[in-house]
């Protein structure tokens, strides 16, 4: 069953916490991965791959650069999840 | 029909000795920061690199190879005349022909050993090792020298903040010879030419020298930039960590070795972040020693695995007889992984 927006943000928060050690409550829709959450370009790849597995979605390399905020990633997953 | 007598090789092959050469000039990040807008902290956090070695004019591809190979021959306890073949993997020997392997074979004092170069980027050591194992078991050479050597500083764009800090120079060599027991596992290798754009030379030599030079990249002085190695960082990182972890696991499975049986992990020293993520993805147990030679050597492409192997053995972090998983991956894209017993 497709995940809801709330479930996706919750999942991304757990992933970002695991990879970058950021508290889950800091991961909000308006937060920028690089500027607010200390997720650099390489960690972002790890976040993306973890999100692909968790939400059964494909996020190609050329789309990763457009995912600036948690909201961008959430919208992308909502739109593309299987 | 006449009957052809078959060749007779050894039952198995093993790495008998290893040697390395690191150029005398040590280059800290401060020197890199003279030509790019970055910071020591940024370079360390993105790559793990603190220093690298850059070769001087006398430290040619051939000279560094002869030093490393001489040490490997001594470590193996054989003489140069016993070497039957010399396989050199490099992308930074700038004389197209003849192969640099022939000069190295001569300078080492081999007895007319077969000698040739291969081009397999950062997977070159694994490709060479696989060829060497085949030669020893098939019987066309009793002892084979496999050399990975690079002067990547010659192919580095010092004004490119994504790669200026990354590359280093050096040579690593092993001697492969006969063994009574299996000591080099099956190789899992391959190529993905559809991803050739992810790591490549900026411009081909013919275009640099002869072709239409309009539109070629220029440096801050207005000169056309010398060809350099460029890569798509995120795409390479994803492929290296997640696809190569699968290849590494296949090599373990092919050798019948579990992660618990493993003593040492020597991945190509591309970037410490790739190494750390691979270790996590492969779920390697704590007892496995992981090579992180990149910190003081940089990315030396085909030379990185034998250089890291030599250092682990020299420092005592790994010991002779240990079981090691080695995996190389890079421009092509190409990859090669196998499990070996350390010399």
């Amino acid at each position: 069953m497709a995940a809801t927006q709330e479930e996706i943000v919750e999942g991304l928060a757990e992933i970002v916490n695991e990879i970058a050690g950021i508290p889950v409550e800091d991961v909000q829709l308006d937060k920028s991965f690089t500027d607010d959450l200390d997720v650099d370009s390489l960690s972002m790849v790890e976040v993306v791959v973890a999100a692909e597995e968790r939400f059964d979605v494909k996020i190609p390399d050329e789309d990763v650069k457009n995912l600036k905020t948690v909201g961008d990633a959430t919208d992308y997953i909502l739109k593309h999840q299987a | 029909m006449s009957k052809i007598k078959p060749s007779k090789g050894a039952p198995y092959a093993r790495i008998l000795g290893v040697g390395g050469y690191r150029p005398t000039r040590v280059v800290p990040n401060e020197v890199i920061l003279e030509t790019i807008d970055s910071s020591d902290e940024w370079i360390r956090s993105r790559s793990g690199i603190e220093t690298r070695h850059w070769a001087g004019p006398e430290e040619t591809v051939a000279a560094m190879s002869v030093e490393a190979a001489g040490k490997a021959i001594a470590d193996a306890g054989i003489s140069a005349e016993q070497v039957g073949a010399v396989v050199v993997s490099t992308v930074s020997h700038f004389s197209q022909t003849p192969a640099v392997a022939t000069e190295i074979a001569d300078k080492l004092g081999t007895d007319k050993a077969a000698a040739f170069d291969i081009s397999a980027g950062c997977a070159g050591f694994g490709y060479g090792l696989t060829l060497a194992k085949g030669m020893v078991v098939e019987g066309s050479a009793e002892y084979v020298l496999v050399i990975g050597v690079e002067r990547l500083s010659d192919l580095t764009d010092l004004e490119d903040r994504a790669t200026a800090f990354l590359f280093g120079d050096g040579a690593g060599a092993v001697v492969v010879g006969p063994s009574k027991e299996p000591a080099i596992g099956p190789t899992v290798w391959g190529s993905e030419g559809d991803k050739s754009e992810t790591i490549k030379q900026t411009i081909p030599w013919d275009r640099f020298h002869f072709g239409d030079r309009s539109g070629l990249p220029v440096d801050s002085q207005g000169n056309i930039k010398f060809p350099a190695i460029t890569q798509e960082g995120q795409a390479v990182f994803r492929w290296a960590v997640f696809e190569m972890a699968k290849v590494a696991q296949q090599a373990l499975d092919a050798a019948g070795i579990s992660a618990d049986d493993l003593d040492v992990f020597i991945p190509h020293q591309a970037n410490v972040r790739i190494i750390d993520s691979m270790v996590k993805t492969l779920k390697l147990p704590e007892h496995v020693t992981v090579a992180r030679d990149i910190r003081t050597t940089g990315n030396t492409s085909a030379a990185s695995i034998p250089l890291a192997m030599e250092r682990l053995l020299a420092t005592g972090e790994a010991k002779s007889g240990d079981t090691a998983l080695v995996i190389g991956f890079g421009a092509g894209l190409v990859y090669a992984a196998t499990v070996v017993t350390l010399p």
Side-chain angles (χ1 to χ4, degrees):
Chain A
M1 202 174 78
T4 63
Q5 186 194 57
E6 197 183 334
E7 287 166 342
I8 293 169
V9 175
E10 199 180 301
L12 286 174
E14 284 173 22
I15 290 168
V16 170
N17 173 262
E18 158 82 22
I19 288 164
I22 302 297
V24 288
E25 58 272 21
D26 290 1
V27 181
Q28 311 271 344
L29 285 173
D30 61 341
K31 292 287 163 64
S32 154
F33 286 107
T34 44
D35 299 338
D36 302 321
L37 301 175
D38 203 24
V39 174
D40 70 20
S41 64
L42 300 183
S43 295
M44 189 62 197
V45 176
E46 295 182 281
V47 168
V48 162
V49 172
E52 283 187 335
E53 281 176 18
R54 183 158 181 152
F55 300 112
D56 192 18
V57 58
K58 281 268 164 260
I59 311 176
D61 292 319
E62 57 267 28
D63 289 341
V64 174
K65 61 180 178 298
N66 300 325
L67 309 181
K68 306 270 187 231
T69 65
V70 175
D72 295 338
T74 305
D75 291 346
Y76 190 96
I77 294 165
L78 270 175
K79 202 166 139 193
H80 293 88
Q81 63 186 345
Chain B
M1 198 172 74
S2 307
K3 195 174 173 199
I4 296 172
K5 196 172 141 189
S7 56
K8 194 167 182 297
Y12 303 103
R14 69 165 59 234
I15 299 174
L16 294 165
V18 61
Y21 179 81
R22 291 174 167 82
T24 49
R25 184 183 173 203
V26 176
V27 178
N29 289 341
E30 288 69 39
V31 171
I32 307 295
L33 295 170
E34 290 169 9
T35 49
I36 56 167
D37 177 21
S38 188
S39 70
D40 179 49
E41 193 278 330
W42 192 93
I43 294 171
R44 287 179 195 234
S45 72
R46 296 312 195 283
S47 71
I49 301 170
E50 296 157 20
T51 58
R52 75 286 287 145
H53 297 255
W54 280 356
E58 307 295 315
E59 292 167 316
T60 62
V61 164
M64 294 194 291
S65 298
V66 169
E67 288 290 325
K71 289 180 196 167
I73 289 170
D75 190 39
I78 63 164
S79 67
E81 299 86 55
Q82 291 174 277
V83 172
V86 178
V87 183
V88 176
S89 179
T90 185
V91 297
S92 46
H93 177 242
F94 292 154
S95 185
Q96 191 88 37
T97 194
V100 72
T102 58
E103 180 185 343
I104 295 164
D106 178 57
K107 292 220 166 103
L108 283 168
T110 68
D111 181 17
K112 298 180 183 172
F116 58 97
D117 299 351
I118 59 172
S119 176
C122 305
F125 177 73
Y127 273 59
L129 187 65
T130 304
L131 293 175
K133 173 186 164 188
M135 286 184 234
V136 169
V137 172
E138 179 270 341
S140 49
E142 188 177 11
Y143 298 100
V144 182
L145 256 175
V146 178
I147 302 168
V149 57
E150 301 293 0
R151 279 180 58 113
L152 294 182
S153 60
D154 293 337
L155 285 171
T156 299
D157 178 354
L158 295 178
E159 294 180 353
D160 175 12
R161 68 189 301 275
T163 57
F165 58 87
L166 195 57
F167 301 115
D169 304 337
V174 298
V175 171
V176 178
S179 172
K180 292 192 179 83
E181 306 286 332
I184 302 173
T187 301
V188 177
W189 60 348
S191 69
E192 296 180 45
D194 60 320
K195 299 185 181 71
S196 62
E197 294 291 307
T198 51
I199 310 173
K200 63 174 187 179
Q201 184 171 319
T202 46
I203 37 173
W205 298 112
D206 52 354
R207 173 120 199 264
F208 179 69
H209 288 292
F210 314 119
D212 174 13
R213 289 163 70 100
S214 59
L216 293 183
V218 292
D219 65 18
S220 54
Q221 312 296 315
N223 301 311
I224 291 173
K225 284 185 175 182
F226 195 70
I229 300 168
T230 177
Q231 63 177 9
E232 295 168 16
Q234 284 187 321
V236 172
F237 183 83
R238 188 198 288 225
W239 178 77
V241 172
F242 299 100
E243 297 308 312
M244 290 305 99
K246 291 176 202 160
V247 170
Q249 185 60 52
Q250 287 165 15
L252 284 175
D253 294 344
I257 297 288
S258 75
D260 284 336
D261 301 328
L262 202 62
D263 301 307
V264 185
F265 178 46
I266 312 178
H268 164 49
Q269 304 289 295
N271 178 321
V272 92
R273 296 279 295 276
I274 290 176
I275 297 169
D276 290 344
S277 288
M278 279 181 100
V279 168
K280 205 163 75 178
T281 307
L282 278 166
K283 299 186 173 66
L284 291 184
E286 292 256 332
H287 75 262
V288 176
T289 299
V290 178
R292 290 190 178 85
D293 189 40
I294 182 151
R295 289 196 179 120
T296 53
T297 305
N299 177 341
T300 57
S301 189
S304 84
I305 291 174
L307 276 172
M309 185 184 292
E310 182 253 2
R311 179 147 285 174
L312 287 175
L313 289 164
T315 58
E317 291 167 88
K319 59 184 192 305
S320 176
D322 277 355
T323 301
L325 169 63
V326 298
I327 177 165
F329 45 85
L333 298 172
V334 290
Y335 56 88
T338 187
V339 176
V340 301
T341 305
L342 292 181

